[in-house]
Amino acid sequence: MTAHEPPALPLRFGYGTNGLTDLRLDDALGLLADLGYDGVGLTLDHMHLDPLAPGLAARTRHVARRLDELGLGVTVETGARYVLDPRRKHGPSLLDPDPGDRARRVDLLVRAVQVAADLGAHAVHCFSGTVPDHTDEDTAWKRLTEAFGPVLDAASSAGVPLAVEPEPGHLLATLADFHHLRRALGDPEPLGLTLDIGHCQCLEPLAPADCVREAAPWLRHVQIEDMRRGVHEHLPFGDGEIDFPPVLAALAATGYRGLTVVELPRHSHAGPRFAAHSLPYLHRAARLVAERTTGTSTVPSHGDPSATPEGSSTP
């Protein structure tokens, strides 16, 4: 099966620009279209649609035209490492002790919502950040809920869902933490979930496919890569422990039709090669779902989507 053949499931696959940072954005989008991807996870960063540089509206219109020409869908992602501060990774965050610094992150997210609306994106991704030193968790949760207010207002006005991601090591690290935030905010309609399949393997008590089913009502964006239990390292497909056919089957069964975006941010040095490898792998995994459903069998070779058991072999 080639990259351009449709998958056996009604899923739409994308690739994250945070894994293509050595390419110009126009070139990255052209590459993904040529490879057969359905869309892109666009991380707003200094090299790709810089959200802080002059002329954002005009540059966004250019990207919108390019996406339309190529037939690519888009999710706007906000996980750039140093877009706000050249010295602090992901800083400042929504949990920063300085109200002015928290406001800078809020402003970035509000800008991202506007960019997403102008691009016709299906969601805006974000995360909480890590708990600062000398800050108790109750204070951190209070800061987070307060900071989300203007962002949710912007998302509601723009009609673009906000998809918060549980991130290992952050205040909001698990699905349970997402539900804590959702309840604290009064379950606002614009608030949804980014589910990272690798993070499910890394630290959730449920297997990744079960996480998909549990998260289904709030699912607005999906990121996908391989990973091992207890190790937060984004791996190319086949290098970790995840059995992907059950995950893709669960995603299809939920009715989720947004993008499922490959996230390999530490592999930009060979981004085009990993992008070329990832889509056929996902298509094979989708095909295996159909084979299992019809009772046919495929003997997996090393590195094929079903070569490892679902879940983890480690405790």
Side-chain angles (χ1 to χ4, degrees):
M1 183 173 177
T2 68
H4 290 276
E5 290 183 78
L9 299 172
L11 297 174
R12 301 168 63 227
F13 295 118
Y15 199 91
T17 59
N18 62 358
L20 296 169
T21 56
D22 291 311
L23 276 67
R24 298 177 183 89
L25 181 55
D26 274 2
D27 292 338
L29 297 179
L31 170 73
L32 297 181
D34 288 345
L35 290 173
Y37 281 92
D38 301 296
V40 58
L42 174 57
T43 296
L44 303 182
D45 207 347
H46 62 87
M47 77 292 287
H48 290 156
L49 195 54
D50 188 340
L52 303 181
L56 178 59
R59 290 183 288 112
T60 301
R61 287 193 294 271
H62 170 80
V63 174
R65 288 192 296 269
R66 180 73 168 148
L67 291 168
D68 185 61
E69 291 166 0
L70 297 171
L72 293 173
V74 61
T75 303
V76 170
E77 302 194 353
T78 62
R81 292 184 178 94
Y82 296 100
V83 67
L84 289 177
D85 189 322
R87 294 174 177 82
R88 288 191 291 165
K89 180 181 177 182
H90 299 314
S93 78
L94 298 174
L95 311 179
D96 200 282
D98 186 319
D101 278 347
R102 294 199 298 275
R104 291 173 60 205
R105 177 62 63 172
V106 168
D107 177 70
L108 176 67
L109 295 180
V110 170
R111 286 174 182 243
V113 168
Q114 185 58 59
V115 168
D118 292 344
L119 294 178
H122 75 81
V124 173
H125 149 277
C126 64
F127 46 53
S128 69
T130 59
V131 179
D133 292 340
H134 314 298
T135 300
D136 63 84
E137 284 205 0
D138 287 344
T139 299
W141 279 110
K142 184 175 184 293
R143 289 174 185 167
L144 185 64
T145 55
E146 290 176 351
F148 262 116
V151 185
L152 288 166
D153 289 344
S156 180
S157 297
V160 179
L162 191 67
V164 63
E165 178 188 7
E167 180 79 20
H170 284 211
L171 174 68
L172 198 156
T174 65
L175 286 173
D177 293 332
F178 166 74
H179 291 303
H180 177 82
L181 175 67
R182 181 177 59 81
R183 289 189 295 267
L185 289 168
D187 199 15
E189 193 277 333
L191 182 67
L193 174 71
T194 292
L195 188 69
D196 187 303
I197 301 303
H199 295 173
C200 296
Q201 174 68 19
C202 178
L203 53 68
E204 293 286 352
L206 298 175
D210 291 328
C211 288
V212 170
R213 286 184 280 268
E214 196 275 338
W218 302 277
L219 208 54
R220 301 295 179 267
H221 182 44
V222 176
Q223 296 171 339
I224 194 165
E225 69 285 313
D226 219 338
M227 204 168 286
R228 300 187 182 99
R229 185 68 176 171
V231 182
H232 184 205
E233 180 183 4
H234 291 236
L235 299 172
F237 297 116
D239 287 1
E241 300 169 336
I242 300 174
D243 182 18
F244 285 97
V247 174
L248 299 185
L251 273 174
T254 68
Y256 173 73
R257 297 297 179 264
L259 291 173
T260 297
V261 172
V262 178
E263 190 182 26
L264 293 174
R266 297 183 182 179
H267 293 75
S268 280
H269 64 283
R273 177 166 63 87
F274 285 106
H277 164 79
S278 297
L279 187 59
Y281 187 99
L282 290 169
H283 281 175
R284 288 195 301 271
R287 186 63 58 192
L288 282 169
V289 175
E291 292 177 357
R292 291 174 180 180
T293 301
T294 59
T296 59
S297 63
T298 299
V299 178
S301 62
H302 176 72
D304 274 354
S306 60
T308 55
E310 182 178 2
S312 170
S313 59
T314 59

